[in-house]
Amino acid sequence: MFLTQSEKTLFSQMSFYSRDIASDFPYELGEKVPGQDDKSIWKVHKGKQKDSGDSVSIFAYDVKNSSDPEMNQVAKNSLRRLKTLQHPNILTFLDGVETDEVIYYATEPVTPLETFLKDNANDIEKHSEEALSWGIYQIGKASSFLINDCNLIHNNICMASIFVDLSGNWKLAGVDFMCAVEVCCRGIPPVKHLRSLDVYEPPEKYYGRVLTCDKWSSDAWGLGCFIWEVFNGNLTREASIHLAGKIPQNLIPNYFELVHASPSKTRLNPAQFLENCRKRGGFMNNSFVDSKLSQEENQRNK
């Protein structure tokens, strides 16, 4: 359902739906997507391309009514960063616009992972753990790409940063607190300003001093938090991360190597995590992942 003419008239009087956006942004804003409010600075909406009618997702940030100038800068940096990232397992940026009142950016049409898992619970149960193993593999690939190929630390890997496209592919987003390795590793990671995200912070952040860490330490921890949430639901207490809960037995050893308490030379590089999980008997060593990787290889060779 998209905005009616009367709703557009009402919203045109509000800064969040300014006239400049309506004229300059080639997408029409639709209904708000629930579920992201407390773990993201962005409001996610359904949308469509004004000319073609093609579906998109629109991420919106209210600059004018924000009381935190630092978060305004975070939103601006997030927009600029997402424009530069191109990877099959990272959310695809289409277009964006920035004014003194609002920031919008459009992406491929996606559903928050939490919503996707709830809506497809029966189908996921039918395919057991194999479908989930492919989704986790995709996010591991995205994380490995950022840290190993781009020297970028995501700093915000959790369920709320993952979306699912129309083909069922899992995409990493939530790049709001991303920073270059040489910046993050010189000091304390960026402050997130959202208390709901504190539960995902690695323990070393609370030591009050800079520790010697591998460059992937923070994102390895985040990858572990994300995996915990896939199988156990929203993480609400830091202590829960050390209890495997419903995580499959053949994933538990590699999972605990992601969330080791020590950040130096103990947590798995995401690339090593994927390699270990693909070994015989590993969580991602199954026919479902095999077939998906074969399909990707065939597409690359066309």
Side-chain angles (χ1 to χ4, degrees):
M1 179 182 72
F2 292 91
L3 299 178
T4 65
Q5 187 58 48
S6 60
E7 287 174 323
K8 291 179 184 178
T9 301
L10 173 62
F11 283 131
S12 68
Q13 301 170 13
M14 302 170 61
S15 65
F16 196 66
Y17 298 91
S18 67
R19 181 179 57 79
D20 288 340
I21 293 297
S23 61
D24 296 340
F25 197 54
Y27 299 93
E28 181 179 342
L29 199 74
E31 65 179 311
K32 183 175 171 293
V33 177
Q36 298 294 104
D37 292 346
D38 64 334
K39 292 186 177 179
S40 175
I41 65 172
W42 301 92
K43 308 298 183 186
V44 185
H45 292 255
K46 294 182 179 180
K48 65 181 180 181
Q49 217 280 341
K50 289 179 180 177
D51 293 335
S52 67
D54 291 342
S55 295
V56 298
S57 288
I58 297 176
F59 291 69
Y61 177 78
D62 186 355
V63 177
K64 186 175 182 179
N65 291 319
S66 170
S67 59
D68 190 342
E70 291 186 12
M71 290 306 293
N72 293 347
Q73 190 58 51
V74 166
K76 293 177 182 180
N77 291 342
S78 179
L79 172 64
R80 293 163 189 163
R81 180 69 77 184
L82 192 59
K83 287 180 181 180
T84 68
L85 297 173
Q86 295 185 1
H87 187 272
N89 305 125
I90 292 178
L91 188 63
T92 302
F93 175 88
L94 298 176
D95 196 2
V97 64
E98 176 185 331
T99 75
D100 293 336
E101 297 185 339
V102 295
I103 299 174
Y104 281 2
Y105 67 82
T107 73
E108 59 188 315
V110 289
T111 301
L113 176 60
E114 182 179 359
T115 301
F116 176 84
L117 293 178
K118 290 178 180 178
D119 292 347
N120 295 275
N122 292 335
D123 187 53
I124 291 171
E125 181 70 21
K126 179 181 177 181
H127 291 288
S128 188
E129 297 165 359
E130 292 191 346
L132 296 180
S133 70
W134 175 239
I136 294 171
Y137 181 92
Q138 291 180 304
I139 300 306
K141 286 290 288 185
S143 176
S144 177
F145 167 74
L146 291 175
I147 194 66
N148 295 312
D149 298 325
C150 304
N151 271 321
L152 293 171
I153 299 176
H154 187 279
N155 273 322
N156 192 30
I157 300 177
C158 62
M159 176 85 82
S161 295
I162 314 300
F163 295 81
V164 184
D165 71 11
L166 298 179
S167 298
N169 296 306
W170 294 17
K171 302 294 186 85
L172 180 59
V175 301
D176 308 325
F177 309 105
M178 182 180 289
C179 66
V181 166
E182 59 269 20
V183 175
C184 283
C185 290
R186 282 205 303 261
I188 303 300
V191 177
K192 295 182 180 179
H193 299 269
L194 293 175
R195 294 299 302 273
S196 58
L197 297 178
D198 288 349
V199 70
Y200 304 112
E201 297 289 10
E204 61 268 17
K205 184 171 181 180
Y206 299 104
Y207 291 164
R209 57 190 176 88
V210 179
L211 298 178
T212 300
C213 303
D214 294 313
K215 66 179 183 178
W216 57 82
S217 294
S218 176
D219 284 352
W221 181 273
L223 193 58
C225 291
F226 150 68
I227 290 171
W228 192 96
E229 291 190 303
V230 167
F231 294 101
N232 296 300
N234 285 322
L235 181 65
T236 58
R237 297 189 314 117
E238 292 90 339
S240 298
I241 206 73
H242 302 295
L243 303 173
K246 298 179 181 178
I247 295 175
Q249 285 295 317
N250 61 346
L251 179 56
I252 287 176
N254 296 133
Y255 163 76
F256 277 121
E257 288 182 293
L258 292 173
V259 295
H260 195 286
S262 173
S264 178
K265 302 187 184 306
T266 47
R267 292 184 198 153
L268 283 180
N269 185 310
Q272 187 64 53
F273 167 74
L274 295 179
E275 183 177 331
N276 290 356
C277 286
R278 285 286 291 158
K279 291 179 179 178
R280 185 173 182 177
F283 177 66
M284 299 173 186
N285 188 329
N286 57 63
S287 58
F288 193 93
V289 175
D290 289 346
S291 65
K292 291 293 186 179
L293 290 174
S294 179
Q295 290 173 17
E296 287 189 347
E297 182 66 25
N298 290 337
Q299 290 174 354
R300 284 194 295 267
N301 293 334
K302 285 183 178 179

